[in-house]
Amino acid sequence: MISIKGLSKVFRTKHQEVRAVDDLSLQIKKGEIYGVIGYSGAGKSTFIRLLNRLEDPTDGKVTIDDQELTSLNKGKLREARQEIGMIFQHFNLLWSRTVHDNIAFPLEIAGVPKSERTKRVNELIDLVGLSGRGNSYPSQLSGGQKQRVGIARALANKPKVLLCDEATSALDPETTDSILDLLVDINEKLGLTIVLITHEMHVIRKICHQVAVMEQGKIVEQGDVLDVFLYPKEQVTKKFVDQVMGDPEREHSLQLIKDTYKTGEILRLHFVGESTNQALISEISRKFVLDVNILHGKITQTQKGAYGTMFVQFLGDKEEITRAIEYIQSTSVEVEVSPDD
């Protein structure tokens, strides 16, 4: 659906050169919700503006649905942009227009007849959950309602791709979740391909199928969201995963807990998908002569399934502990044993 090859953007001034996006390549499938995450200055906002040529690339190609946007002239680009919707962090609504007229604006520009515009706008108002608010002005709406108007406006021309530039960053957590639920609903109902940039791993965890991690203009890690949660390779990715899992000392957690609980064996268990429903601790207690203490645990949900970690302490005979560990390793639960002193 979306093919990005060797994409670069260099900003030049008299005194310096800033490479905001650096030789970036990605493939995004039709109907996917693809997340791009990075800290401030990583280049993600420039990247998403390159996708619809709000910024022209220094190098590289962007192809959407077999049409290479980077080679289009201004006239053809205007036509192509009608199939690419975009929503923004700060809504970018027309404050002197009602909800209805804000949503209708891109249809007016496209020359859609008034009767057809009205029908389409009413459909979109219902779709985004704003029934009865068509005559309201942006100043009369909450932040979440304003973003719903922005989403409806982005969908007006029935785009194939929806680009989201930090679409929930200005919203409180509860409103953020409601907007994310709406995006999932739109993705499923319309089969829309969504590219979403954010600095919040919660957003990636909740709705994305695939994720790419940006740092200094480059993609440093990418893959299935659940795989990235399970096996983050880069330090920046580990920090993002820790936002959700609440393990800020990820690299040292086992040793830190072992220093606190000096007896027995400390394990970190990784539960994925169906294994999160296993009554593993009960099984261990029944099968082996051990005392089992649960020290810490958390389970979180991604689009591809659940993922959880749990720290446990096994107290008992060393051979019995070894047998218990071997039993866990025979299941779908992954086990990490504390390092030796």
Side-chain angles (χ1 to χ4, degrees), residues 49-82:
R49 289 170 63 85
L50 290 169
L51 290 187
N52 61 0
R53 277 186 59 187
L54 287 176
E55 294 281 357
D56 284 325
T58 306
D59 293 296
K61 295 180 180 180
V62 175
T63 303
I64 297 179
D65 202 21
D66 297 324
Q67 185 173 46
E68 188 188 324
L69 265 65
T70 38
S71 66
L72 298 180
N73 60 35
K74 288 185 178 179
K76 292 289 186 183
L77 181 59
R78 276 195 296 271
E79 292 178 18
R81 278 183 178 150
Q82 291 185 12

Side-chain angles (χ1 to χ4, degrees), residues 139-299:
S139 61
Q140 298 171 310
L141 303 177
S142 67
Q145 289 171 330
K146 289 172 190 171
Q147 194 57 284
R148 287 172 185 269
V149 177
I151 292 170
R153 181 184 57 188
L155 298 175
N157 281 314
K158 299 182 179 179
K160 296 177 181 177
V161 175
L162 181 64
L163 307 180
C164 306
D165 186 1
E166 296 278 11
T168 59
S169 294
L171 306 175
D172 62 76
E174 185 175 349
T175 307
T176 291
D177 281 346
S178 72
I179 293 298
L180 295 178
D181 288 339
L182 175 60
L183 290 175
V184 171
D185 188 49
I186 288 167
N187 168 256
E188 292 174 350
K189 285 181 177 176
L190 306 181
L192 197 63
T193 304
I194 299 177
V195 182
L196 181 151
I197 69 163
T198 183
H199 64 274
E200 299 171 296
M201 199 63 176
H202 166 72
V203 173
I204 300 293
R205 173 196 67 78
K206 187 170 175 66
I207 72 168
C208 294
H209 304 112
Q210 298 282 319
V211 61
V213 183
M214 281 191 76
E215 189 174 32
Q216 297 182 339
K218 293 179 177 289
I219 297 293
V220 296
E221 193 163 350
Q222 60 180 297
D224 180 278
V225 169
L226 189 54
D227 288 341
V228 171
F229 261 80
L230 277 171
Y231 309 110
K233 298 178 180 66
E234 301 296 324
Q235 191 60 38
V236 63
T237 312
K238 292 173 183 177
K239 288 181 180 179
F240 280 124
V241 172
D242 293 342
Q243 285 182 3
V244 175
M245 296 309 295
D247 187 5
E249 297 291 340
R250 183 185 186 90
E251 292 299 304
H252 309 292
S253 291
L254 275 172
Q255 187 60 56
L256 287 169
I257 289 178
K258 187 175 181 182
D259 289 344
T260 304
Y261 299 90
K262 296 184 182 297
T263 58
E265 191 74 72
I266 306 298
L267 312 175
R268 179 158 59 184
L269 307 179
H270 297 273
F271 299 82
V272 186
E274 290 300 316
S275 70
T276 57
N277 297 321
Q278 283 185 234
L280 182 67
I281 301 303
S282 296
E283 289 182 32
I284 293 295
S285 298
R286 287 197 305 269
K287 288 178 179 289
F288 303 96
V289 184
L290 293 174
D291 289 325
V292 182
N293 292 328
I294 298 174
L295 306 178
H296 173 73
K298 184 171 184 179
I299 292 175

